Amino acid sequence: MKRIFCGLLCAAALLLTACGQKTAAQAEAAADPAVAAAQRYQAIVQAVGDGTRAGVNLTDAQIAQAVAQLSDAGLTAVHVDAADPVTHPETVAAFWAAHAAGEKAALTLYEVCRDGGLLCHTLRFADGADTVTRTRVVWRDGAFSVSYADTYTVTSLTLGGGRLTYVYDMPDNPPGTDHDGHIDTQEIFTIG
């Protein structure tokens, strides 16, 4: 009887442990809001490919669908080519108002990319300084993951003429053009 009870107790402990475990993808999504955002439109990307041998190349219509799904979730999103204004421009206005008042502020913009991933721009204002965290989420081997997440000092931040523009300082960015390894450090978003 004692053996049966111990066996049932061990089985219950194993079952509870297994139920509480998360896959690596679930754990990363819980840890990174950019991955969780991308997972909102995962079905669109999966229909195109798994991100292995044949890469994903979303059409403008598919990107628009992904942006709409992010917007439906209340997120501020935009097409990678900035063909349309950002969704939820009120979040940009709220960020700008707090920034102008000298209050701590944050704004997150999700830019849906042709490869199915996204670039998350998180602008922050605190103690008189602006920073941006740029998080790149990629679609690879049937799952979203973070390729990089880097924080930079913003050297210029403007809102005018229906556009939000920021320029950030990337140390060791070589001079030249994209073909020389130079990375353009200016981002422009149309605000509707």
Side-chain angles (χ1 to χ4, degrees), residues 40-54:
R40 292 184 176 281
Y41 62 84
Q42 183 168 331
I44 295 169
V45 179
Q46 278 179 318
V48 176
D50 63 5
T52 53
R53 290 175 295 229

Side-chain angles (χ1 to χ4, degrees), residues 60 63 67 78-83 110-114 119 187:
D60 287 334
I63 291 174
V67 168
V78 68
H79 187 293
V80 69
D81 294 336
Y110 295 97
E111 187 176 5
V112 179
C113 301
R114 292 209 178 273
L119 181 57
E187 295 289 343

Side-chain angles (χ1 to χ4, degrees), residues 100-162:
E103 301 169 1
K104 278 187 174 183
L107 171 66
T108 302
L109 297 153
Y110 295 97
E111 187 176 5
V112 179
C113 301
R114 292 209 178 273
D115 66 4
L118 58 78
L119 181 57
C120 174
H121 308 258
T122 303
L123 291 161
R124 289 186 180 86
F125 176 72
D127 301 323
D130 294 303
T131 60
V132 64
T133 300
R134 297 169 51 88
T135 305
R136 180 67 161 101
V137 174
V138 295
W139 175 252
R140 189 175 300 132
D141 298 328
F144 286 110
S145 62
V146 173
S147 173
Y148 63 83
D150 298 312
T151 300
Y152 302 101
T153 299
V154 173
T155 57
S156 174
L157 179 64
T158 58
L159 179 63

Side-chain angles (χ1 to χ4, degrees), residues 10-114:
C10 287
L14 285 172
L15 182 61
L16 287 173
T17 302
C19 290
Q21 291 179 343
K22 294 181 177 180
T23 66
Q26 288 170 325
E28 184 169 8
D32 196 302
V35 171
Q39 289 175 333
R40 292 184 176 281
Y41 62 84
Q42 183 168 331
I44 295 169
V45 179
Q46 278 179 318
V48 176
D50 63 5
T52 53
R53 290 175 295 229
V56 171
N57 187 14
L58 298 180
T59 65
D60 287 334
Q62 290 165 326
I63 291 174
Q65 287 176 327
V67 168
Q69 288 186 5
L70 293 174
S71 179
D72 290 347
L75 302 174
T76 305
V78 68
H79 187 293
V80 69
D81 294 336
D84 300 311
V86 298
T87 63
H88 299 288
E90 68 277 5
T91 61
V92 176
F95 168 77
W96 196 255
H99 187 282
E103 301 169 1
K104 278 187 174 183
L107 171 66
T108 302
L109 297 153
Y110 295 97
E111 187 176 5
V112 179
C113 301
R114 292 209 178 273

